[in-house]
Amino acid sequence: MARVVGDAGTDPPCRFCAAPLQHVFADLGMSPVANDNVPLDQANAMEPFFPLCALVCAECFLVQLAPFETEKPLFREDYAYFSSFSTSWLEHCRRYTEQMTERLGLGETSQVIELASNDGYLLQYFKDAGIPVLGIEPTENTANVALAKGIPTRVQFWGAGTARAVAEETQADLLLGNNVLAHVPDINDFVAGMKIALKDGGTITIEFPHLLKLIELNQWDTIYHEHYSYLSFATVGRVFEAHGLRLFDVQELPTHGGSLRIFGCHEDDSRGRSDAASELLERERAAGLEDVRTYLDYGARVVADKRQILTFLIDLKEAGNSIAGYGAAAKGNTLLNYCGVGRDVLDFVCDANPHKQGNVLPGTHIPILSPDAIAERRPDVVLILPWNIKDEVMQQLSYIREWGGRFAARSPELALFG
Ligand SMILES: [Zn+2]
């Protein structure tokens, strides 16, 4: 589904290399801001929708959102995401801190700095081990939770400016950022800041969902407005090199449907490129990630997926099933809005986060209830929208089998489970 956007001279510039963006990767139509759940008393108000369209740069292959205008911040002020709500994520982070402490020999004279440190969900483990930490977190109410735990935190966005202020006091032996690189509109300023704040011989680790998995497993529902970039190992390597940094190792992780944990250092560091890094670069190339045609072909698969999802849900409804959704998360909103699935299909969506309950989903206005509603209303099918935590949810809600309830999730096609 090759398509070229804009007229000559009006193509937006690539967020990394500034080349004109002319190629569409996935066009998901008009969509409300994904995490912008609507309070019930505002459900009759007008609601903003913005184009949700991912483009690819034919020079550096950075997949990125087309620019869209907003008249207000992306988040409602009372919205906050607390990382500590997910137990499997906390376990992932605890294991990471143990691995890194051993691998880098971190101790009481080291400095760990985390970018987008949220409520201190990860730094708490380093702190408990006696390793000095510093969090950088732009959202004030989550930063306050970290401060209350005794985790030093600056309430700031990350970039070269913040990095210079931090570097006057300390530099990082370990500089880390989980699921933040894809969320920053100015990727150059973000990585330039990492160069400034990294000690000589220090290590950067960054985790982000892998673009190769997004393509191979049709994870287009991970495209939403807060997620500006969709990253391959090769493209992130190019961004690092433009800022005097270098990638020397990588680990592939199961989180978020397939993530990378990349390891970076200063360009003159003595550590050479690992076999894993060389192998992944070759695998991305073999999968076509260095060829713009691979990206142009993706759009047709997105459209075919929409047809499969709608056929599947219509068949369930025609057979008389009631369906509830699980997880009022961003990827669910992308899917529901793109496919036009509303309250005529899903009776409600439940979510364990009490801050979301009592609101309605943006766009579709499906009510968000506590997970207790599943036991009370006994839906025939529970559609798990965040497919990356499917196993965890199926375990938590295993009692739906008592009334013959079944689960549905994308894997990558939408299918029934149990
Ligand atoms: Zn580019």
Side-chain angles (χ1 to χ4, degrees):
M1 196 174 162
R3 209 183 81 188
V4 171
V5 289
D7 301 319
T10 63
D11 301 316
C14 171
R15 293 177 194 276
F16 166 52
C17 77
L21 295 170
Q22 299 176 320
H23 300 94
V24 173
F25 173 64
D27 186 351
L28 302 171
M30 297 294 287
S31 191
V33 175
N35 279 313
D36 206 5
N37 296 322
V38 180
L40 268 187
D41 61 3
Q42 291 169 38
N44 292 331
M46 278 196 353
E47 195 174 345
F49 278 62
F50 302 100
L52 184 58
C53 183
L55 308 174
V56 62
C57 175
E59 298 293 323
C60 71
F61 304 111
L62 179 65
V63 173
Q64 53 201 291
L65 278 198
F68 57 94
E69 267 186 315
T70 57
E71 291 181 357
K72 57 172 195 159
L74 273 183
F75 297 102
R76 281 179 201 273
E77 284 176 11
D78 57 357
Y79 170 75
Y81 177 76
F82 291 93
S83 296
S84 296
F85 272 99
S86 170
T87 47
S88 58
W89 179 243
L90 285 179
E91 178 57 19
H92 170 81
C93 295
R94 192 190 59 74
R95 281 199 307 269
Y96 164 82
T97 56
E98 284 180 3
Q99 279 176 27
M100 296 307 293
T101 301
E102 189 182 332
R103 177 169 174 167
L104 303 178
L106 300 175
E108 58 191 20
T109 59
S110 309
Q111 177 73 61
V112 175
I113 300 178
E114 183 180 14
L115 312 180
S117 50
N118 201 268
D119 57 6
Y121 69 103
L122 187 150
L123 288 180
Q124 63 187 346
Y125 299 115
F126 283 121
K127 179 175 175 288
D128 289 348
I131 299 164
V133 298
L134 173 64
I136 313 289
E137 168 56 45
T139 310
E140 192 166 0
N141 52 358
T142 46
N144 285 339
V145 175
L147 285 164
K149 291 182 197 166
I151 293 166
T153 304
R154 284 173 170 253
V155 185
Q156 277 170 324
F157 282 98
W158 184 252
T162 300
R164 276 190 285 272
V166 167
E168 286 180 12
E169 294 169 16
T170 187
Q171 282 183 308
D173 297 281
L174 172 60
L175 180 59
L176 73 120
N178 289 338
N179 301 308
V180 59
L181 189 61
H183 291 249
V184 296
D186 188 347
I187 196 168
N188 281 316
D189 187 48
F190 191 91
V191 177
M194 291 200 292
K195 171 74 179 174
I196 293 165
L198 185 67
K199 201 179 278 183
D200 276 345
T203 302
I204 294 170
T205 75
I206 300 275
E207 291 180 26
F208 53 82
H210 192 189
L211 177 65
L212 183 62
K213 289 288 188 289
L214 188 156
I215 292 176
E216 286 178 347
L217 300 177
N218 281 5
Q219 297 168 348
W220 48 266
D221 52 358
T222 61
I223 297 172
Y224 51 91
H225 288 114
E226 292 149 29
H227 207 167
Y228 290 95
S229 305
Y230 303 83
L231 303 163
S232 68
F233 189 56
T235 293
V236 173
R238 284 188 275 272
V239 178
F240 268 54
E241 281 164 24
H243 294 281
L245 297 166
R246 184 164 63 72
L247 299 184
F248 66 93
D249 196 10
V250 65
Q251 293 172 348
E252 294 181 70
L253 309 169
T255 47
H256 298 285
S259 296
L260 297 183
R261 176 184 294 154
I262 58 167
F263 291 75
C265 58
H266 287 295
E267 60 190 349
D268 57 1
D269 194 282
S270 60
R271 286 170 285 188
R273 182 190 284 171
S274 71
D275 291 346
S278 300
E279 189 273 331
L280 182 57
L281 280 175
E282 185 47 44
R283 185 146 42 93
E284 285 188 347
R285 178 179 293 279
L289 295 197
E290 302 286 295
D291 181 344
V292 76
R293 287 171 299 185
T294 304
Y295 300 89
L296 295 176
D297 290 343
Y298 188 66
R301 288 167 52 193
V302 175
V303 177
D305 234 17
K306 174 175 178 172
R307 288 196 300 267
Q308 190 267 329
I309 289 165
L310 287 173
T311 303
F312 179 92
L313 292 173
I314 289 167
D315 287 349
L316 279 179
K317 293 305 288 181
E318 292 284 356
N321 293 289
S322 59
I323 312 176
Y326 186 95
K331 60 172 73 72
N333 278 311
T334 292
L335 182 139
L336 298 174
N337 278 289
Y338 173 59
C339 294
V341 172
R343 300 175 68 164
D344 40 4
V345 176
L346 293 187
D347 298 331
F348 61 93
V349 166
C350 58
D351 196 286
N353 184 342
H355 297 276
K356 296 180 178 179
Q357 295 164 10
N359 297 323
V360 298
L361 292 179
T364 58
H365 284 204
I366 298 169
I368 306 169
L369 306 178
S370 149
D372 297 341
I374 302 269
E376 289 160 15
R377 302 198 188 186
R378 300 181 154 223
D380 298 311
V381 176
V382 174
L383 170 62
I384 302 170
L385 294 163
W387 36 257
N388 51 308
I389 55 167
K390 170 169 71 76
D391 294 341
E392 190 179 337
V393 174
M394 284 177 63
Q395 208 170 3
Q396 279 169 12
L397 302 184
S398 58
Y399 58 81
I400 74 168
R401 298 193 180 96
E402 290 169 20
W403 62 82
R406 291 173 294 173
F407 296 99
R410 297 190 60 216
S411 180
E413 285 214 326
L414 187 52
L416 286 170
F417 293 87

